[in-house]
Amino acid sequence: MRTMAQVRQALSSLSGFPEWLPSGHIVEQHFVDILRRTFELHGFSGIQTRAVEPLSELTKKGETSKEVYLLSRLQADPAESEADPRKQLGLHFDLTVPFARYVVDNAGLLTFPFKRYQIQKVWRGERPQEGRFREFIQADIDIVGDGALPLHHDVEVPLIMHEALSALPVPAVTIHVSNRKVAQGFYQSIGIDTDRLIEVLRVVDKLDKIGPEKVAAELTQSVGISAQQAAQALRLATITGTDGQDVSDQVLRALAGAEPTELLNEGLAELTALLEATGRRRPGAVIADLKIARGLDYYTGTVYESFMAGHEDLGSVCSGGRYDSLATNGKRTFPGVGISIGLSRLLARVIGEGLVEVSRSVPTAVLVAVTDEAHRCASDAIADALRARGISADVAPSAAKFGKQIKAADKRSIPFVWFPGADGEPDSVKDIRSGEQVEADAATWQPPTADAAPRISASPAAACSQAGGQDGCEVGSAS
């Protein structure tokens, strides 16, 4: 059994840059394939964007400058270091900002609404810790319109992502939703100045991390709102539910007699409609959680965060929201809504906690034995014939005794060993798990479907953690 610390140490000697062992990479590719298939089923087109963006583009929305890695040459000319800062390049810290730029650059060639998925690495200069990396893979879906984007897309995006997450061998994920218009409209209704709204949102977004007392203290001491306003902001943040009308009623009661602004009423109408639609289409997938604010200030309406049952300490595994003005060329605006999985973050927990089982760490289904080096060409021909039919095959590295070749296959969890026939005898293939050996022809033999490729499945530890470690199982054990 390995501890999380041992798993992290095994990932990479350079902190914050994960490197999986072969079995971990198989899990990663399995997750990517499931996500890709799900997104494509819903009509999303895959794209890749460049790794670098102008620094001015990366820092124009939200407080992200401390997270950006700058790009420079080791032997840059002095004149280059003194160049216009607007020409500096940085590695992208998420996929939404470069996607917005991509939409503007290609607006004349795209058909709107444009639905895209993107599974790609990003880089953030933050302190590495559990679930936080400097280099990691994100998996995003976004829908972007030209000038306007109907609100039914705010329903579509979280439901698609929930479907994708539900297809992965991980504990159940619930998507928590709020609306920036509700929070901002509520704060306006209780008399908080407009220039403090974004700061209040950012502080309230820390609620799960630092607790209500510290949030209240920061709101009064650092932001400068009254104790009563801070108490009302915290009261708003405690509201949850799946019934849109009930959530709306709770918000209005929290105003304590204050008149709701037009912005608040608009946000409540959007949130109520979203909850009603998601409740009909995928009951239990989405829940209102009004403490969610999302730190990046390009979000303008619906916002999402997602939590995995039994692993709430990991924080949000999937987040996003609506952004109405991030993508614009000055003449046209392309509003969008999207949601993103921190895939490496999810994988670190899944692999580190032993939440998945992998049947083998190699793709190989068959190891072709070598009778002796003089006849290696016969084994190579058999392997080539199997590969031509889509069966992953390898050839034994040496013509050792067959017993040693079987042990070599077993060590790699290869389920079958192929024995070339001698002196005109037919070939045979052996299932080294059961010991059954039968005659076989490389032109027709097929492994059982379950053995054709490595199998990835949820482990007992996954069910255990989701159930909170009940019935005597141990949560968080890794093998």
Side-chain angles (χ1 to χ4, degrees):
M1 302 297 234
R2 295 189 295 171
T3 65
M4 276 298 293
Q6 289 171 325
V7 171
R8 285 195 297 270
Q9 187 176 11
L11 294 182
S12 174
S13 58
L14 184 59
S15 180
F17 295 85
E19 294 178 333
W20 310 117
L21 293 171
S23 59
H25 184 67
I26 286 173
V27 175
E28 179 182 84
Q29 288 301 112
H30 179 70
F31 277 39
V32 167
D33 289 344
I34 287 176
L35 295 174
R36 175 183 53 79
R37 285 197 299 269
T38 305
F39 299 155
E40 290 180 353
L41 279 173
H42 288 269
F44 286 73
S45 300
I47 68 165
Q48 295 273 293
T49 56
R50 64 198 186 202
V52 299
E53 296 289 337
L55 183 60
S56 58
E57 188 76 17
L58 293 172
T59 59
K60 72 180 183 180
K61 288 287 185 180
E63 295 182 351
T64 56
S65 59
K66 64 178 181 293
E67 298 181 349
V68 176
Y69 279 112
L70 294 178
L71 196 69
S72 64
R73 292 192 300 116
L74 181 62
Q75 298 181 347
D77 295 332
E80 289 184 29
S81 62
E82 298 172 4
D84 188 340
R86 291 174 296 180
K87 296 181 180 179
Q88 284 188 297
L89 299 177
L91 294 171
H92 57 220
F93 61 87
D94 76 353
L95 298 179
T96 304
V97 171
F99 174 58
R101 187 269 312 158
Y102 176 95
V103 168
V104 172
D105 288 352
N106 297 284
L109 304 173
L110 299 175
T111 301
F112 296 95
F114 178 48
K115 301 170 72 172
R116 87 83 167 84
Y117 74 87
Q118 192 169 347
I119 303 173
Q120 195 171 339
K121 285 189 175 181
V122 302
W123 294 266
R124 289 186 186 176
E126 58 183 359
R127 183 173 66 85
Q129 52 187 299
E130 183 180 351
R132 296 281 183 181
F133 298 114
R134 291 172 173 170
E135 177 186 71
F136 56 98
I137 297 174
Q138 280 194 186
D140 285 26
I141 55 172
D142 286 81
I143 304 174
V144 172
D146 184 358
L149 186 70
L151 288 170
H152 65 78
H153 293 300
D154 289 31
V155 174
E156 180 181 6
V157 161
L159 292 184
I160 293 170
M161 190 59 85
H162 189 270
E163 180 181 329
L165 289 165
S166 298
L168 299 177
V170 300
V173 173
T174 303
I175 296 180
H176 294 222
V177 63
S178 186
N179 192 301
R180 292 285 281 261
K181 294 176 184 177
V182 171
Q184 291 180 223
F186 183 90
Y187 300 152
Q188 290 174 347
S189 299
I190 62 175
I192 296 176
D193 296 339
T194 302
D195 58 356
R196 290 190 172 99
L197 293 178
I198 294 299
E199 192 58 31
V200 172
L201 282 169
R202 289 195 179 119
V203 174
V204 171
D205 200 32
K206 302 177 184 179
L207 187 58
D208 285 339
K209 295 178 182 178
I210 65 176
E213 291 184 2
K214 290 184 178 179
V215 166
E218 192 169 338
L219 286 173
T220 54
Q221 297 170 17
S222 300
V223 182
I225 65 175
S226 70
Q228 181 180 348
Q229 289 170 330
Q232 287 179 282
L234 285 170
R235 195 174 306 132
L236 176 72
T238 65
I239 296 173
T240 64
T242 57
D243 184 296
Q245 189 57 56
D246 179 61
V247 169
S248 181
D249 290 343
Q250 289 186 64
V251 172
L252 296 177
R253 286 197 298 270
L255 287 175
E259 189 69 23
T261 63
E262 183 178 341
L263 183 64
L264 174 56
N265 287 330
E266 182 181 338
L268 286 174
E270 292 179 4
L271 182 59
T272 298
L274 184 148
L275 290 171
E276 290 176 351
T278 56
R280 285 194 305 269
R281 294 180 57 185
R282 204 171 178 90
V286 177
I287 182 173
D289 184 351
L290 299 194
K291 67 176 176 292
I292 294 172
R294 302 292 298 131
L296 296 172
D297 64 11
Y298 53 66
Y299 293 117
T300 55
T302 306
V303 286
Y304 316 102
E305 288 190 352
S306 307
F307 301 92
M308 191 164 63
H311 298 269
E312 289 79 7
D313 64 300
L314 181 62
S316 181
V317 297
C318 173
S319 56
R322 172 176 278 259
Y323 46 93
D324 285 324
S325 55
L326 179 62
T328 180
N329 61 9
K331 296 179 180 179
R332 296 165 67 187
T333 299
F334 307 94
V337 61
I339 193 166
S340 168
I341 302 175
L343 189 56
S344 298
R345 174 184 177 85
L346 179 60
L347 285 166
R349 175 57 62 95
V350 165
I351 295 171
E353 295 283 346
L355 301 182
V356 293
E357 293 181 342
V358 185
S359 61
R360 60 182 188 263
S361 61
V362 295
T364 316
V366 184
L367 179 71
V368 181
V370 178
T371 305
D372 55 54
E373 291 301 334
H375 292 86
R376 177 172 288 276
C377 58
S379 297
D380 288 337
I382 292 168
D384 286 341
L386 292 169
R387 293 170 190 143
R389 298 175 47 240
I391 301 169
S392 178
D394 199 358
V395 178
S398 67
K401 292 181 179 180
F402 281 165
K404 288 187 176 181
Q405 295 188 53
I406 291 172
K407 287 182 179 178
D410 185 47
K411 188 175 182 179
R412 298 169 65 195
S413 298
I414 299 172
F416 297 96
V417 175
W418 192 285
F419 299 101
D423 300 324
E425 292 294 318
D427 294 355
S428 63
V429 64
K430 181 173 185 173
D431 184 333
I432 64 174
R433 298 159 300 182
S434 67
E436 181 183 8
Q437 186 167 336
V438 296
E439 291 184 5
D441 184 340
T444 58
W445 180 83
Q446 193 75 28
T449 302
D451 293 321
R455 299 187 310 279
I456 294 90
S457 58
S459 70
C464 228
S465 65
Q466 187 168 347
Q470 297 173 359
D471 299 325
C473 55
E474 295 181 7
V475 179
S477 61
S479 56

